[in-house]
Amino acid sequence: MTDISQNTPGPEGSHAGSLLQQSDRTRKRNAAERRFRGYGIAAITVGLLMLAVLVFTIVSRGTGAFQQTFITLDVELLESKLDKSGTRDLDAIKKVTTFGYAPLIKNAVQAKVVELGIETDLKAKAMAGILSKNAAAQLRAYVLENPDQIGETVTFRFLASSRVDGYLKGRVSRDSIVNDKSISPAQLDLVDALVTAGVAAKTFNLDFITGADASDARPEAAGMGVSMMGSLFMMLVVLALALPIGVAASIYLEEFAPKNWLTDVIEVNISNLAAVPSIVFGILGLAVFINYMHLPMSAPLVGGLVLTLMTLPTVIISTRASLKSVPPSIRDAALGVGASRMQAVFHHVLPLAAPGILTGTIIGLAQALGETAPLLLIGMVGFIASNAPETLADGLLAPNSAMPAQIYEWAKRADPAFYERAWGGIIILLIFLVTMNTVAVILRRRFERRW
């Protein structure tokens, strides 16, 4: 029996150390490993810290958009102003414009100030200036829907102006309005008195989620609802085109196409298209769908077609990867029991690859949902003064915007209230994106098979 002792010479004439004692080289290697592990932990920590800062910034700046200041007033719907004939003829009532409703709002504000005993030197017009310019339109819409209420006194919750809302949210101060012609210190004194009396208060603003965009003069009335519908119809177009075309192309290239130089060129170009900047697809959509095919500009149908071109490479690549992940033995077994090549693919391979295909499709849709550059080139950034589309044709062909384009439009406007709404729109968009990615992960884990 041979005894290997510590006196056995090493490779350089030195004696080997004990197995329980680390050599210098081992200590250096372990130290390097610890440093590498520390670098990794530091990188993850920095990444999580930056993510936390990003989320905190978005939430802190965007949550204000979901709250809005409302002022409650009792408005007397004078028959002498709204229906002079007294016949309740709707066509005659429609002839009264929003300018005809302005005196009713002035009277309501003045009456509320007198009722509460608030002392102010403001005139009726200046008092009404604390309300949104949307108040008259809101009042007119109510009267047209309820003409039988003419002659009655009705309680309304009107939006406050963007300056008043900003004052109550801390965005506007008395020092910052020195040169502001839209609000005065006396009006802020009136607002403070109304808040104390409970007439003016901040509440949840559902119209921000369900409403349409507004003009520069009415930022407090702007909402994301219509642009959300535009994004929905675009995603329907993308899903209806990208999924069948992308899956069919993937099946052919992976299972049936001959391996030659032509398929190699096609595969290389598909991979290259996945890396093409999205604005290039916007230029292509502008040239082909609008200038050549004369499809309506700013329509969700055109936006969906452009985003389909951009999403197809992602769907094809993910679908091919899913088909490759199915073991060849599945195909061989199907062919061995007499199935045709097409039966083996569609009856056995494709169902097993479905989780990966669904995951890739949902991720592609999420990527398309957040794209802005292609939509800028096809005109989906304009102010759309309309309600939600009522039919499928209107949803696809009527001019509309999309969530990322709406956020971009608000961010470039001058009023700080629009900037706040841009942050709120980012929160809504992120909720959609996180939801779609979560669904993709759940579907993948639910239906995934491990081989």
Side-chain angles (χ1 to χ4, degrees):
M1 175 170 151
T2 305
D3 183 16
I4 301 178
S5 66
Q6 297 181 6
N7 295 325
T8 303
E12 298 179 359
S14 61
H15 295 286
S18 171
L19 293 177
L20 302 178
Q21 182 180 0
Q22 293 182 350
S23 65
D24 292 340
R25 180 179 297 178
T26 303
R27 282 194 294 269
K28 290 180 180 179
R29 186 171 64 244
N30 292 341
E33 183 177 343
R34 286 193 298 269
R35 286 196 301 271
F36 182 76
R37 188 184 300 114
Y39 296 152
I41 294 174
I44 294 174
T45 303
V46 172
L48 292 176
L49 180 62
M50 293 297 102
L51 178 61
V53 171
L54 175 64
V55 172
F56 175 78
T57 303
I58 293 175
V59 172
S60 61
R61 297 190 181 186
T63 50
F66 295 91
Q67 282 191 325
Q68 199 68 32
T69 302
F70 289 89
I71 299 177
T72 305
L73 296 174
D74 299 323
V75 181
E76 183 180 1
L77 304 177
L78 296 175
E79 187 177 44
S80 59
K81 292 285 187 181
L82 306 179
D83 187 17
K84 295 181 180 179
S85 62
T87 60
R88 300 299 185 268
D89 181 15
L90 192 59
D91 292 332
I93 297 174
K94 286 181 178 179
K95 293 181 180 179
V96 181
T97 64
T98 53
F99 294 102
Y101 289 83
L104 304 182
I105 297 175
K106 295 177 185 177
N107 294 339
V109 177
Q110 193 171 23
K112 180 62 69 174
V113 170
V114 173
E115 176 189 341
L116 297 174
I118 300 173
E119 296 182 0
T120 179
D121 296 331
L122 294 172
K123 296 182 179 179
K125 182 177 180 180
M127 293 182 191
I130 65 174
L131 297 175
S132 167
K133 289 182 171 59
N134 193 57
Q138 177 185 346
L139 187 59
R140 182 173 184 270
Y142 176 84
V143 171
L144 294 179
E145 291 180 4
N146 305 276
D148 57 306
Q149 294 294 313
I150 294 178
E152 303 291 334
T153 299
V154 183
T155 301
F156 289 90
R157 291 174 67 246
F158 293 116
L159 285 168
S161 68
S162 63
R163 295 295 192 275
V164 172
D165 182 64
Y167 172 67
L168 295 182
K169 292 178 179 177
R171 190 178 63 243
V172 175
S173 65
R174 292 179 180 269
D175 294 333
S176 65
I177 65 169
V178 175
N179 298 320
D180 194 337
K181 297 180 180 180
S182 301
I183 196 73
S184 66
Q187 288 174 312
L188 294 184
D189 293 335
L190 176 60
V191 170
D192 289 334
L194 293 176
V195 170
T196 303
V199 175
K202 290 188 299 180
T203 58
F204 180 73
N205 184 21
L206 183 61
D207 288 338
F208 175 67
I209 301 175
T210 61
D213 191 14
S215 63
D216 290 344
R218 300 179 293 117
E220 62 282 345
M224 284 283 289
V226 176
S227 60
M228 288 167 63
M229 295 298 297
S231 292
L232 173 63
F233 282 104
M234 284 197 305
M235 292 304 103
L236 292 177
V237 174
V238 175
L239 182 63
L241 296 178
L243 181 60
I245 296 175
V247 172
S250 303
I251 292 174
Y252 176 76
L253 289 174
E254 192 63 32
E255 303 291 341
F256 298 101
K259 304 301 179 183
N260 52 33
W261 67 270
L262 180 59
T263 54
D264 290 341
V265 171
I266 293 175
E267 291 175 1
V268 169
N269 279 277
I270 290 174
S271 300
N272 290 338
L273 283 174
V276 170
S278 58
I279 196 169
V280 175
F281 292 99
I283 296 173
L284 177 64
L286 176 63
V288 176
F289 299 129
I290 294 179
N291 293 340
Y292 180 73
M293 300 178 65
H294 302 291
L295 292 177
M297 198 168 185
S298 302
L301 175 62
V302 179
L305 292 173
V306 172
L307 295 179
T308 297
L309 295 177
M310 191 192 71
T311 308
L312 268 175
T314 302
V315 175
I316 293 174
I317 292 172
S318 62
T319 301
R320 292 193 66 187
S322 300
L323 293 172
K324 286 180 181 179
S325 66
V326 178
S329 58
I330 301 294
R331 300 174 178 83
D332 296 338
L335 296 174
V337 296
S340 67
R341 186 72 177 274
M342 183 170 291
Q343 288 174 328
V345 171
F346 285 94
H347 295 176
H348 301 279
V349 177
L350 190 58
L352 295 176
I357 295 173
L358 288 175
T359 301
T361 302
I362 295 174
I363 292 175
L365 289 175
Q367 177 189 0
L369 181 64
E371 285 294 340
T372 307
L375 306 181
L376 301 181
L377 293 174
I378 61 174
M380 296 189 72
V381 291
F383 164 63
I384 308 298
S386 64
N387 296 320
E390 298 179 356
T391 63
L392 180 61
D394 289 340
L396 294 175
L397 300 176
N400 206 334
S401 186
M403 286 191 287
Q406 187 67 75
I407 293 169
Y408 168 81
E409 182 70 16
W410 283 342
K412 71 176 186 178
R413 293 186 185 178
D415 197 304
F418 280 118
Y419 195 65
E420 179 187 65
R421 272 162 166 67
W423 286 103
I426 291 173
I427 293 177
I428 295 177
L429 182 60
L430 285 179
I431 290 174
F432 275 92
L433 295 177
V434 171
T435 301
M436 295 176 71
N437 282 277
T438 302
V439 170
V441 172
I442 293 174
L443 289 175
R444 179 121 188 151
R445 291 184 176 273
R446 174 66 178 82
F447 298 104
E448 185 179 29
R449 291 193 180 185
R450 298 186 181 274
W451 308 101

